[in-house]
């Protein structure tokens, strides 16, 4: 049995709580796995990891499952849709149940913000945050950092513009904490009603034209369902004001790269041709997610 | 190919059909797996087990999957929600299909009572009942028995009170059969309209105050949806009359333990603080489910 | 990285694009796996196969998963119901995502016809068609061919009647292409409004009485939901006119066998007693699906 402190050190709840040395150690280990030729290792043979997704996500669950299997771990998938969560079972009880059954670590994604932090106080296995509300999505930010590191050789000194619905974005937050700790400069660009007031002190808001002058232009996914709530005028209007259109992409400096956490709304926040262009690192980001998550899971239970 | 008799001997449809020797053999083997230090064995390497859940249950499916993987088996999960059952495929045809494809055993959970017994006559692989209607849930009762055995050293002579909706409970029935065969005394406590008339000859109904005087107090989950049908007045009223409140728990004898098949409705049939109290064996029950199910699956196909 | 040509050669989009030599090679390899006594091989150890089902199918997904696991591959299951496809993620983006994450081959089932062909131009991993719209379902036809080969020793010269909703059937189309290439004679039998005009030049339509005079009588599943659209009068009327009733089955020649891709609508297109009769190869077809799919997957990525 690990001590409570040890468990917490091995959990990954967010990047806000890590320091640059810890982040660098994860990125170094990701580089190790990235170069590893053997597709399935036996590092975690006989260890059980459970992917507990109380909020659906094909992409993220798949990336974690791939990482777990490449480490040789046994994988148990749980999704709320196919579960008894509907009949009143709380997230806490589910996690405690899986813990009681003997899993060694849990990857967890959930809608409400703040629940994960409470949860981690109550269980004695390491938890890995796969996205919690609008709070953090640390493995996404780590794969973004790793992608920048591979592209530019160093994160320190980069200027990264994050464009879109900052207020509701856990990806923006995790990138903000991770990038600033690693010495990059972050700037946001968002519609007035999608700015996050509490982040103002950490990164400036700039216009779309200023945002395009950066080493990395990171577009966020638009939640089209916000249109219903009146927060979004229309997809067309959003694209016109904040979208990375072909016209805007053509104006980017030759060394500037484009990132997006995916899935993309093609021709809303980013044009179809831009997604597939040479400047786009969107598919490499997905590839990089696997070694990054291998490093995070290995750190949790090796 | 196993003979039909051999297949039936290896199936586990319920505890009503087992004798004390067979139950003891399973509990002994569970103890073996419980002490086994190697997390993944190769006992069932190259054998295929399918979890066929025509009724959802995170907890039970997970426990079986964990048990199967710890035995080294290949696991194929089937849940009705993600299947073609809706387009008219019968349970029988699904099971025959999976059998034709070469699975070595099937773990099956289904809503209608009686279907499983018919099914077992028609297929030639061992079937393990993971809950069928209100008939039986034998692995739950076996893990309950195993938990009592670990706690008291012996099942014979124990008094076990089962409290709640006896009429609709497969857990109550499987425990009744298993416990009486092993020499324990079972007593029920239930609201008038939740008593099972056909079980009256096997166990007496007692008041809640009498029920609390026992070695084991086993609370059943309230089906809150019964409120809609008028069977249940209200959660508050149920708690007042039959719930294991903190007040009632405080009156229990020092050696008395509390059990519940979970998932619990906290503060309905059992108070939140009682679930987490030292007398509660609810989380150990979950842990014990894994070695018990390992024993049951191994018995089916080793 | 395989060349684009090599990837295409290893994909299996349909039987229309294969020649008799290629089909024979797959059937030969299926026979090898069928006789293979070791249940789990290590041929594809460390290779990742993803089952991407954008349309539900228990039977087909299970058969592929069994085949993949028997080859020792790592399996990642994706079903649209448990995915983010609903939130606007396109099929293309999902496949590209999984490809980026490092899968070695994808088994794909989808509703729209024609999408798979486009998709295969854009990705660089082999794709295996597990059913696309009403276009093709090549592994079903291959297992049908393999079943006929096992039964008759040769496919050449057989007369095969395919009875039912030809217009909407990918099974009929794949069987037509596969069987004619292998030298069998195909004839169709269908209600007037379920004939496929574009197939008229490849196989004649015959009456139900003529259709019963064949070596193989292959019944297709009726889509009962077509009743709502007025295409189907009633299940009873369909059975009377086109169903393989006990009466009709009794008139079949002694050497004639009955096939059905399943799942069956018992007592609609085929009587319950006929499904279970000695002439029925329905359950052997399911068994044969596993070695056939092993051959197809092995061909894709070995």
């Amino acid at each position: 049995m690990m001590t409570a402190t040890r468990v917490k050190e091995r959990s990954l709840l967010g990047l806000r709580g890590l320091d640059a040395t810890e982040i660098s150690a994860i990125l170094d280990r990701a580089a190790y796995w990235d170069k590893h030729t053997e597709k399935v290792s036996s590092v975690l043979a006989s260890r059980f990891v459970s992917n507990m997704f109380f909020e659906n996500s094909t992409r993220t669950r798949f990336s974690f499952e791939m990482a777990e299997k490449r480490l040789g771990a046994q994988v148990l998938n749980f999704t709320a849709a196919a579960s008894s969560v509907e009949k009143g079972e709380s997230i806490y009880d589910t996690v405690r149940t899986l813990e009681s059954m003997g899993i060694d670590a849990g990857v967890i994604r959930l809608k409400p913000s703040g629940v994960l932090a409470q949860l981690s106080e109550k269980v004695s296995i390491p938890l890995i945050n796969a996205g919690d509300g609008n709070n953090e999505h640390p493995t996404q930010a780590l794969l973004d950092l790793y992608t920048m590191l591979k592209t530019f050789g160093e994160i320190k000194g980069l200027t990264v513009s994050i464009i879109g619905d900052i207020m509701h974005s856990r990806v923006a937050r995790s990138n903000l904490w991770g990038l600033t700790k690693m010495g990059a400069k972050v700037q946001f660009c968002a519609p007035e009603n999608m700015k996050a007031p509490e982040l103002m002190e950490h990164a400036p808001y700039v216009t779309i034209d200023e945002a395009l002058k950066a080493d990395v232009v990171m577009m966020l996914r638009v939640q089209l369902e916000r249109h219903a709530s009146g927060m979004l005028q229309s997809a067309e209007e959003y694209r016109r004001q904040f979208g990375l259109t072909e016209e805007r992409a053509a104006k980017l400096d030759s060394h500037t790269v484009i990132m997006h956490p995916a899935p993309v709304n093609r021709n809303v926040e980013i044009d179809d041709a831009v997604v597939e262009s040479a400047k786009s690192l969107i598919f490499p980001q997905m590839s990089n997610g696997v070694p990054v998550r291998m490093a995070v899971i290995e750190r949790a239970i090796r």
Side-chain angles (χ1 to χ4, degrees), chain A:
Chain A
M1 185 74 90
M2 285 190 248
T3 64
T5 314
R6 192 95 187 88
V7 168
K8 270 190 207 170
E9 278 170 9
R10 291 179 161 243
S11 287
L12 180 67
L13 303 189
L15 296 193
R16 194 168 197 174
L18 293 193
D19 61 30
T21 313
E22 291 169 300
I23 293 172
S24 288
I26 295 172
L27 300 182
D28 284 353
R29 192 65 184 169
Y32 167 84
W33 287 116
D34 200 5
K35 288 185 208 104
H36 200 70
T37 50
E38 209 187 3
K39 201 150 182 182
V40 177
S41 147
S42 60
V43 171
L44 298 187
S46 298
R47 310 305 293 274
F48 285 78
V49 182
S50 178
N51 299 313
M52 304 178 283
F53 278 61
F54 296 94
E55 184 188 46
N56 262 335
S57 167
T58 307
R59 192 179 307 269
T60 306
R61 198 264 296 163
F62 234 94
S63 180
F64 271 108
E65 187 170 348
M66 191 87 191
E68 292 149 8
K69 289 185 167 169
R70 287 199 54 197
L71 290 165
Q74 300 276 352
V75 179
L76 290 147
N77 285 316
F78 165 93
T79 50
S83 85
S84 56
V85 168
E86 311 89 6
K87 52 176 193 175
E89 195 175 359
S90 71
I91 292 173
Y92 166 67
D93 275 328
T94 301
V95 177
R96 279 294 306 273
T97 299
L98 304 191
E99 182 192 10
S100 298
M101 290 178 186
I103 60 169
D104 298 291
V107 172
I108 186 165
R109 186 184 189 103
L110 28 70
K111 281 205 182 85
S113 288
V115 168
L116 182 63
Q118 293 167 32
L119 206 57
S120 73
E121 297 293 325
K122 292 181 178 174
V123 298
S124 60
I125 49 166
L127 295 179
I128 295 167
N129 183 355
D132 71 318
N134 61 10
N135 179 40
E136 284 234 32
H137 190 357
T139 59
Q140 176 66 45
L142 286 169
L143 76 86
D144 292 337
L145 265 64
Y146 181 64
T147 303
M148 295 179 208
L149 190 61
K150 274 179 86 169
T151 306
F152 296 104
E154 202 175 7
I155 295 170
K156 191 172 173 176
L158 292 179
T159 297
V160 180
S161 299
I162 306 181
I163 302 172
D165 182 358
I166 303 296
M167 182 188 274
H168 299 95
S169 176
R170 52 199 179 200
V171 174
R173 283 177 181 76
S174 284
N175 265 293
L176 172 65
W177 311 130
L179 284 165
T180 51
K181 278 169 207 281
M182 297 300 285
K185 186 193 150 200
V186 176
Q187 53 190 19
F188 292 142
C189 173
E192 207 51 51
N193 62 352
M194 292 180 176
K195 290 181 175 175
E198 91 280 12
L199 300 179
M200 297 248 177
E201 58 179 298
H202 300 285
Y205 282 86
V206 299
T207 65
I208 181 72
D209 287 333
E210 289 170 310
L212 298 178
K213 291 174 200 130
D215 302 299
V216 179
V217 172
M218 184 184 290
M219 306 305 298
L220 300 177
R221 177 177 173 81
V222 173
Q223 304 295 322
L224 294 170
E225 52 274 30
R226 301 219 184 280
H227 181 58
S229 66
M231 243 191 134
L232 193 68
Q233 284 189 277
S234 73
E236 295 69 29
E237 184 57 24
Y238 184 89
R239 176 176 177 270
R240 203 185 60 74
Q241 287 190 46
F242 296 97
L244 189 54
T245 58
E246 285 192 72
E247 293 66 36
R248 286 194 177 111
K251 288 186 218 153
L252 293 173
D253 191 272
S254 64
H255 84 286
T256 302
V257 295
I258 298 163
M259 295 176 74
H260 189 297
V264 297
N265 294 302
R266 287 171 187 259
N267 303 319
V268 183
E269 72 264 8
I270 186 164
D271 278 12
D272 189 45
V274 177
V275 172
E276 309 279 344
S277 73
K279 294 180 101 57
S280 160
L281 297 179
I282 298 177
F283 294 109
Q285 282 175 276
M286 294 173 196
S287 301
N288 292 334
V290 177
V292 164
R293 289 178 173 121
M294 289 173 82
V296 168
I297 296 161
E298 190 192 18
R299 174 179 174 270
I301 52 176
R302 195 180 187 170

